[in-house]
Amino acid sequence: MRTITLTILAMATATILSAFTMPKGDAVQEVKQALEGQISAWNKGDLETAMTFYWNSPEMLWISKNGTDKGYQEVYDMFLQDFKDRSKMGVYSYEPLHIEQVSKEAVYFVFRWKIELDGKRLMGGVSSQVWKKLDGRWVITSEHAS
């Protein structure tokens, strides 16, 4: 009898706890695919398409060793300045380190990245991104690149 009571109690506890967990869905997979799309555009030298994966808003946040920049246009202008010559954009690759769905429409993604050109590392580090589903699509609302 005690075993049955403990089993029912465990099942009830599991049922209650499952009601409080984050919704399971395709958010993590969709964000991974979105990042792949951004990287594919980058590796083709298509900065304009790569930037469409960022939230086009004055509230978009970029954090780097130089501090913070706020606003899609400011970040876009920074990339345009840094990569005037698209052939210097190099090849972007990454290794996922952590990804989690933090709400129904937000995903936190941390990864190691590097950009190489002609077999030489141009830059790299670790990035953390907050992706949100806005207007039916996943976009980066903030990024910390170090």
Side-chain angles (χ1 to χ4, degrees):
M1 182 70 170
R2 185 171 188 193
T3 305
I4 292 172
T5 304
L6 288 175
T7 302
I8 291 171
L9 182 60
M11 288 172 48
T13 303
T15 301
I16 291 167
L17 290 176
S18 70
F20 294 103
T21 60
M22 285 295 163
K24 302 286 187 229
D26 296 326
V28 167
Q29 193 59 34
E30 290 172 5
V31 166
K32 286 179 180 179
Q33 289 173 346
L35 181 60
E36 287 291 331
Q38 182 185 43
I39 290 170
S40 176
W42 181 276
N43 289 340
K44 292 175 186 170
D46 184 356
L47 182 59
E48 289 74 18
T49 299
M51 286 299 297
T52 66
F53 291 88
Y54 287 99
W55 183 29
N56 191 346
S57 166
E59 297 302 311
M60 200 273 290
L61 179 64
W62 176 266
I63 306 161
S64 70
K65 65 181 179 183
N66 298 324
T68 62
D69 289 293
K70 200 159 191 183
Y72 173 89
Q73 192 60 51
E74 289 76 6
V75 173
Y76 187 33
D77 290 345
M78 175 184 63
F79 278 116
L80 285 172
Q81 179 67 32
D82 291 347
F83 298 101
K84 288 179 192 173
D85 180 354
R86 301 297 169 88
S87 68
K88 303 279 190 225
M89 287 175 66
V91 175
Y92 190 112
S93 62
Y94 77 101
E95 169 195 353
L97 300 174
H98 177 81
I99 187 165
E100 71 178 284
Q101 185 173 352
V102 294
S103 75
K104 186 177 178 182
E105 297 190 355
V107 172
Y108 182 61
F109 200 171
V110 180
F111 53 91
R112 186 176 322 283
W113 62 277
K114 65 181 173 182
I115 297 176
E116 295 177 303
L117 183 63
D118 299 326
K120 295 180 184 175
R121 182 180 162 135
L122 292 178
M123 59 182 75
V126 174
S127 269
S128 60
Q129 299 174 328
V130 175
W131 290 76
K132 291 185 181 176
K133 193 166 194 176
L134 303 171
D135 299 322
R137 64 185 290 265
W138 289 98
V139 294
I140 304 161
T141 59
S142 67
E143 180 167 357
H144 179 198
S146 61

